[in-house]
Amino acid sequence: MVAQKQKVDFTQGKLFAKIFWFVLPIVVTNLLQTFYNAADMMVVSLSSETNAVGAVGTTSSFIHLIVNVFIGFSVGANVVVARNIGAGDEMGKQKAIHTALLIGLFFGIVGAGVGIAISRWVLTVMGTTGNLLDLAVKYTYFYFAGVPFLAVTNYLIAIFRAKGDSKTPLVVLSLAGLVNVGLNLLFVLAFKLSVEGVALATAIANLLSFIVLLVKLKKDGDFSFKQLKVNKKALKDIVFIGLPAAIQGAIISLSNILIQSSIVTVNNNVCPPDSTYQPVVNGCAAGSNLSNFVYTAQNAVYQGAITFTSQNMGANKPRRVYKIMGICCLLSSMFGIFLATTIFLLRVPLLSLYGVPVGEVGSLEELAFNAATTQLLFVCLPYFLCGIMEVGSGALRGMGKSTLSMILMLVGSCLLRVVWLLTVFPLKQTLEMVYICYPVTWILTSIAMFICAFVNIRKKIKYGENS
């Protein structure tokens, strides 16, 4: 059974069924992870802190700024391991795996230290003040304490998926998620903690995932403490592919920080900063958390595009990448449209789970609900466009064109948004003016991604292909 899992081959046979059954466990895994993260906000809304949901939501863009650095490098690990598998290089695969895990540990420790050191300053610059700031800082301190475990876990997940095993992460993360929810309830309801309780629960769940996945990798024969050292070639390959992805993730997070700051501005325009309840911030946090269900499902297809493209390029079969991209776009759109429509139609009961009810006319609760609805309308419903964009990005990364993918993403999904927020938003400071930049930039970036992907496939075919 172990040997069979290690030799999963995506370079032959029909693609649709293989992609679907590879992606489906990742979709379920991502949705479960998102549900468990949503449970953090749902449970924390039951605490005595009225701004707890807003505090957790306010920190998301800053946390992603730090976390996306090591997640970007895990993309490099996925591509390098998958490429070695496609080429039949067992030694190269082993070197890449052990090098990747050490990289993950290093960045996890650095990320935790940096996150804790600058969290209050960054959140203050974003315009967060008063009780909301204190809660947000407290949450980040506890969250970043568990980031080293989260970092290595992401690399382990990337390694399993590169091997063609998307089921193991599903089982392990499902177990860890149940532990997370249980600890959330224990810390918040029994111990009367607030944001620190859900952050601590997340850290413990990440530690559990790390231990179980590492043990499973060792049982598969792909990990040994004796081989745990950095291989220069593997390090170079992982950094070459992962660094652009890491930079891209970090810079996009910077643009999201600007977006979050704009949301705080809208909130302060309708409600005093020292108010006991911040309606727009809390409403947008709830809407964003629901939208994450759509994004994470589509991100599973992005992971599939990377793995399938990497293996087929490693086996010198670039023509199959055309079909891979088409199938991934279809699956991503199906998942995105179905989930987004369902969430929007059920927004009233779903938002109430986050402590954001419809509210009476003219009340702060009504402002919060309207803010959440605006987020869902402008971001959640058209999220399938983001999925199509990421398929193009994943294919380029699988081809080894990670730098090109980074440049396109930064110009399309970052620079254009920043320009919009700095020039157009100040003229009319509304949530609609903040969120409209998302679907517009997704469309423009998707077009650029696919043009570049097709050009690179044709070049590869021109220089030779196995029959």
Side-chain angles (χ1 to χ4, degrees), residues 237-420:
D237 291 342
I238 291 173
V239 170
F240 179 76
I241 296 172
L243 181 59
I247 295 173
Q248 172 187 310
I251 295 180
I252 288 178
S253 293
L254 283 173
S255 71
N256 288 335
I257 287 177
L258 180 58
I259 289 172
Q260 183 61 44
S261 178
S262 301
I263 292 171
V264 172
T265 298
V266 174
N267 181 89
N268 293 342
N269 287 341
V270 300
C271 182
D274 59 351
S275 174
T276 56
Y277 183 66
Q278 304 294 325
V280 176
V281 172
N282 281 276
C284 289
S288 179
N289 199 260
L290 285 174
S291 296
N292 284 340
F293 283 93
V294 183
Y295 172 75
T296 53
Q298 294 181 145
N299 183 260
V301 184
Y302 160 76
Q303 298 293 334
I306 291 176
T307 300
F308 275 77
T309 300
S310 298
Q311 282 205 15
N312 280 277
M313 294 301 283
N316 197 25
K317 294 183 177 182
R319 289 186 185 274
R320 287 169 63 87
V321 179
Y322 285 124
K323 292 183 179 180
I324 291 170
M325 294 178 68
I327 293 169
C328 287
C329 283
L330 175 62
L331 292 175
S332 184
S333 296
M334 288 171 56
F335 290 134
I337 293 172
F338 173 76
L339 287 172
T341 303
T342 301
I343 289 171
F344 190 79
L345 293 176
L346 298 176
R347 65 188 182 280
V348 174
L350 290 176
L351 289 172
S352 67
L353 296 174
Y354 295 84
V356 183
V358 177
E360 297 180 0
V361 177
S363 66
L364 293 179
E365 288 75 15
E366 184 193 33
L367 286 175
F369 182 83
N370 289 341
T373 299
T374 300
Q375 199 281 342
L376 295 176
L377 183 63
F378 282 85
V379 180
C380 186
L381 283 179
Y383 234 139
F384 72 95
L385 297 172
C386 177
I388 293 173
M389 176 189 71
E390 292 213 331
V391 168
S393 175
L396 283 174
R397 289 205 170 111
M399 297 176 202
K401 303 296 181 180
S402 190
T403 301
L404 176 59
S405 174
M406 176 196 71
I407 293 172
L408 294 175
M409 193 72 78
L410 292 183
V411 173
S413 290
C414 182
L415 180 60
L416 291 180
R417 290 178 189 173
V418 171
V419 171
W420 177 271

Side-chain angles (χ1 to χ4, degrees), residues 65-304:
L65 171 64
I66 306 298
V67 171
N68 280 343
V69 172
F70 61 74
I71 288 181
F73 280 96
S74 72
V75 170
N78 187 325
V79 172
V80 174
V81 173
R83 188 178 293 170
N84 282 313
I85 291 174
D89 186 353
E90 179 65 23
M91 184 64 70
K93 182 189 78 170
Q94 292 294 331
K95 290 177 179 178
I97 287 174
H98 289 83
T99 300
L101 293 178
L102 286 174
I103 293 174
L105 179 61
F106 171 76
F107 277 108
I109 295 172
V110 172
V114 172
I116 291 173
I118 68 174
S119 59
R120 178 172 288 275
W121 174 75
V122 171
L123 291 168
T124 301
V125 170
M126 290 169 61
T128 312
T129 59
N131 174 254
L132 188 66
L133 174 63
D134 293 336
L135 289 173
V137 172
K138 184 184 293 185
Y139 177 78
T140 57
Y141 283 172
F142 280 85
Y143 186 93
F144 280 117
V147 157
F149 309 125
L150 175 62
V152 182
T153 296
N154 271 279
Y155 279 79
L156 287 165
I157 291 171
I159 290 167
F160 276 104
R161 289 174 180 170
K163 291 168 53 180
D165 180 6
S166 58
K167 294 181 180 179
T168 294
L170 167 61
V171 174
V172 174
L173 294 178
S174 298
L175 173 63
L178 290 174
V179 172
N180 191 1
V181 172
L183 291 175
N184 281 340
L185 295 171
L186 177 66
F187 293 153
V188 174
L189 299 183
F191 294 168
K192 305 301 180 182
L193 299 177
S194 180
V195 292
E196 71 274 23
V198 295
L200 181 59
T202 299
I204 295 173
N206 286 329
L207 173 60
L208 176 63
S209 299
F210 158 67
I211 293 173
V212 176
L213 285 171
L214 191 65
V215 170
K216 180 64 170 63
L217 190 68
K218 190 174 187 303
K219 186 177 179 181
D220 286 351
D222 286 323
F223 174 76
S224 170
F225 285 103
K226 294 181 179 179
Q227 298 182 51
L228 197 58
K229 59 182 179 180
V230 175
N231 176 266
K232 291 184 178 179
K233 183 180 183 305
L235 175 63
K236 179 181 177 181
D237 291 342
I238 291 173
V239 170
F240 179 76
I241 296 172
L243 181 59
I247 295 173
Q248 172 187 310
I251 295 180
I252 288 178
S253 293
L254 283 173
S255 71
N256 288 335
I257 287 177
L258 180 58
I259 289 172
Q260 183 61 44
S261 178
S262 301
I263 292 171
V264 172
T265 298
V266 174
N267 181 89
N268 293 342
N269 287 341
V270 300
C271 182
D274 59 351
S275 174
T276 56
Y277 183 66
Q278 304 294 325
V280 176
V281 172
N282 281 276
C284 289
S288 179
N289 199 260
L290 285 174
S291 296
N292 284 340
F293 283 93
V294 183
Y295 172 75
T296 53
Q298 294 181 145
N299 183 260
V301 184
Y302 160 76
Q303 298 293 334

